[in-house]
Amino acid sequence: MLVLVLNAGSSSLKYQLINAKDGDVIASGLVERIGLDGILKHEMGENKKLTFEIDIPTHKEAIELVLKTMTEGETKVIDSINEIDAIGHRVVHGGEYFNSSTIVDDKVINKIEKLIPLAPLHNPANILGMKICQNLMPKTPNVAVFDTAFHQTMPEENFLYAVPHEDYTEHHLRKYGFHGTSHYYVSQEAIKLLGNKKSSKIIVCHLGNGSSICAVKDGKSISTSMGLTPLEGLVMGTRSGDIDAGVIPYLMEKKNMDGHQIIDYLNKKSGILGLSGISSDLREVIKASNEGDKRATVTIELICNRIKKYLCAYAGLLGGVDAVCFTAGIGENSDLIREKVCNELDFMGIVLDKEKNKIRSSENREINKTTSKTKIYVIPTNEELVIAKDTYNLVKAK
């Protein structure tokens, strides 16, 4: 079964055409700058990469362009869009409506629309992608796969905020968590590496421009660092992560900001960018630190301390830990961050092998010393494969 996986952002569209049975990626790409002078970056296999600059006024033209690119000319990988058996959509927020992936119909879209206030930047684009596909390919089933679904197994004591309870019952104020498809995929891979251990305690560190940590017990999420929105938790590329709630009215007064401005400030101007004053790209901050920039060095230490704090807290919630997993752009590629996070955690049975940690690979790998009671894994995430397989399983069962 061929599944087209779509991730529609406010001005971008990521896509992969995947054979859901064996996981082979037939084509993939990214449409950027929708509404402006658009750019399409298209890949077929490992060796053929093409970039096109083209006017892409809306998401409709972006999806039409993707379908045309896959069926025509030198970029052709299928003869017709009729060969696409199903479309899987990444949806950021499913609230408490959805604890698993679901086939898209009008009722599903209506529920996702109700959640727009919880994800105003993401859910509208996700919905738009679904509606366009329904229009362009009316006979092809669509499936919604939610970032939040994996975390619906969290117990109340781990998802509630300590505010009046009616704010939860009336306004749905609670921790939802995100990166669910990544945390699910990586934790399942870790369980396999642990010999399919029936009772498992795993901590997944998804570290990228957006970052979160998840405590996974017996394959289920019991707590995660992101909250009502993706702003809570770790220090990220441009997001502040955890701060004292009193900071918000203080800054609003001092900087003469309204509600929208302070949220924009904490989401887009803070984090690694705000701390370092250099970049939201951690690679540039590490380079500056190596050249003696003090702010860059403090930024790196602060990032790692926050990760370590959550890691130790989640080990306590789990009552121990069998494996710590690093994934996503920073988690998979930065040996420095992994080393600093694991440093001085010997008391928890976490002992990093510095030489193994420096080896770069696209495969799952173990980077702990043989004396380590806790396994330390680097596991490249594959959220698109999770979406493709969920889509395949739902459509097949229909």
Side-chain angles (χ1 to χ4, degrees):
M1 177 184 280
L2 290 185
V3 175
L4 177 62
V5 175
L6 294 180
N7 180 358
S10 58
S11 61
S12 66
L13 178 75
K14 292 180 183 178
Y15 64 92
Q16 283 194 8
L17 184 64
I18 298 176
N19 184 325
K21 284 187 178 180
D22 56 25
D24 282 351
V25 178
I26 296 163
S28 64
L30 170 65
V31 183
E32 295 180 290
R33 294 172 58 83
I34 296 172
L36 301 169
D37 297 326
I39 299 172
L40 168 65
K41 297 175 182 177
H42 183 74
E43 296 185 21
M44 298 168 290
E46 294 181 359
N47 299 320
K48 196 162 186 180
K49 299 180 181 181
L50 299 165
T51 300
F52 305 94
E53 293 185 10
I54 188 169
D55 185 37
I56 308 172
T58 70
H59 282 74
K60 181 177 182 290
E61 283 82 9
I63 293 173
E64 286 175 337
L65 176 61
V66 168
L67 296 173
K68 182 178 179 181
T69 300
M70 292 192 295
T71 55
E72 295 182 12
E74 61 177 328
T75 57
K76 178 179 175 180
V77 291
I78 53 175
D79 290 325
S80 164
I81 60 172
N82 295 327
E83 292 181 41
I84 298 172
D85 298 292
I87 306 164
H89 299 264
R90 180 196 179 201
V91 181
V92 167
H93 218 306
E96 291 185 312
Y97 291 128
F98 304 101
N99 59 13
S100 62
S101 302
T102 186
I103 291 178
V104 175
D105 57 22
D106 290 343
K107 289 181 180 179
V108 168
I109 289 177
N110 287 339
K111 286 180 179 178
I112 299 171
E113 285 176 337
K114 289 179 181 178
L115 295 165
I116 286 174
L118 295 177
L121 297 178
H122 297 94
N123 273 28
N126 302 155
I127 294 165
L128 189 59
M130 288 182 251
K131 288 183 174 180
I132 292 167
C133 288
Q134 287 177 326
N135 182 49
L136 293 176
M137 304 167 69
K139 294 182 180 180
T140 306
N142 290 265
V143 170
V145 181
F146 302 92
D147 272 12
T148 49
F150 180 59
H151 302 300
Q152 285 296 299
T153 53
M154 289 191 294
E156 275 192 311
E157 60 269 26
N158 290 346
F159 73 65
L160 287 175
Y161 290 114
V163 296
H165 193 66
E166 59 265 26
D167 289 331
Y168 166 57
T169 56
E170 295 177 18
H171 305 300
H172 314 292
L173 184 66
R174 55 158 288 181
K175 179 187 285 281
Y176 289 98
F178 300 89
H179 295 139
T181 49
S182 178
H183 288 302
Y184 169 76
Y185 176 83
V186 172
S187 58
Q188 288 298 307
E189 289 294 297
I191 289 169
K192 292 176 191 174
L193 292 170
L194 290 168
N196 292 311
K197 189 175 181 181
K198 290 184 179 179
S199 177
S200 58
K201 300 171 181 179
I202 295 165
I203 298 173
V204 179
C205 304
H206 177 108
L207 309 177
N209 188 54
S211 298
S212 65
I213 295 186
C214 185
V216 184
K217 188 172 186 177
D218 302 335
K220 295 180 179 180
S221 169
I222 66 162
S223 193
T224 190
S225 57
M226 283 181 168
L228 176 75
T229 74
L231 183 55
E232 186 180 356
L234 303 179
V235 177
M236 302 172 232
T238 60
R239 295 182 192 135
S240 66
D242 294 340
I243 58 168
D244 176 358
V247 166
I248 293 175
Y250 178 82
L251 277 179
M252 288 175 73
E253 182 180 343
K254 292 293 183 182
K255 300 178 80 72
N256 194 28
M257 292 180 175
D258 61 24
H260 293 292
Q261 288 171 323
I262 190 66
I263 290 301
D264 185 72
Y265 180 85
L266 294 173
N267 270 295
K268 298 180 180 179
K269 299 177 182 178
S270 302
I272 294 171
L273 174 63
L275 275 169
S276 69
I278 296 167
S279 173
S280 62
D281 189 328
L282 188 60
R283 292 169 295 187
E284 294 184 27
V285 177
I286 291 172
K287 181 176 180 291
S289 175
N290 291 337
E291 294 170 353
D293 188 295
K294 185 177 178 181
R295 277 180 65 184
T297 301
V298 170
T299 299
I300 293 164
E301 295 297 328
L302 194 154
I303 292 165
C304 294
N305 285 350
R306 183 74 59 84
I307 298 167
K308 186 179 289 189
K309 183 176 81 170
Y310 268 97
L311 196 158
C312 292
Y314 284 170
L317 278 183
L318 290 165
V321 56
D322 297 312
V324 174
C325 308
F326 291 93
T327 194
I330 294 169
E332 293 169 28
N333 297 305
S334 179
D335 60 290
L336 174 68
I337 299 301
R338 294 193 299 264
E339 181 179 338
K340 284 184 173 293
V341 169
C342 294
N343 187 41
E344 297 184 342
L345 293 182
D346 307 47
F347 72 96
M348 290 173 57
I350 296 173
V351 187
L352 184 76
D353 186 314
K354 293 183 180 180
E355 294 307 312
K356 287 181 183 177
N357 184 43
K358 290 177 182 177
I359 298 171
R360 295 181 71 88
S361 172
S362 60
E363 304 294 324
N364 295 346
R365 60 196 189 277
E366 183 180 312
I367 58 172
N368 53 273
K369 286 188 175 181
T370 54
T371 55
S372 181
K373 293 180 181 179
T374 299
K375 297 293 186 183
I376 309 171
Y377 297 129
V378 179
I379 300 177
T381 192
N382 196 335
E383 296 171 87
E384 289 79 13
L385 182 60
V386 173
I387 295 172
K389 286 191 175 295
D390 273 15
T391 301
Y392 168 74
N393 290 331
L394 280 167
V395 172
K396 184 182 177 184
K398 188 179 179 182

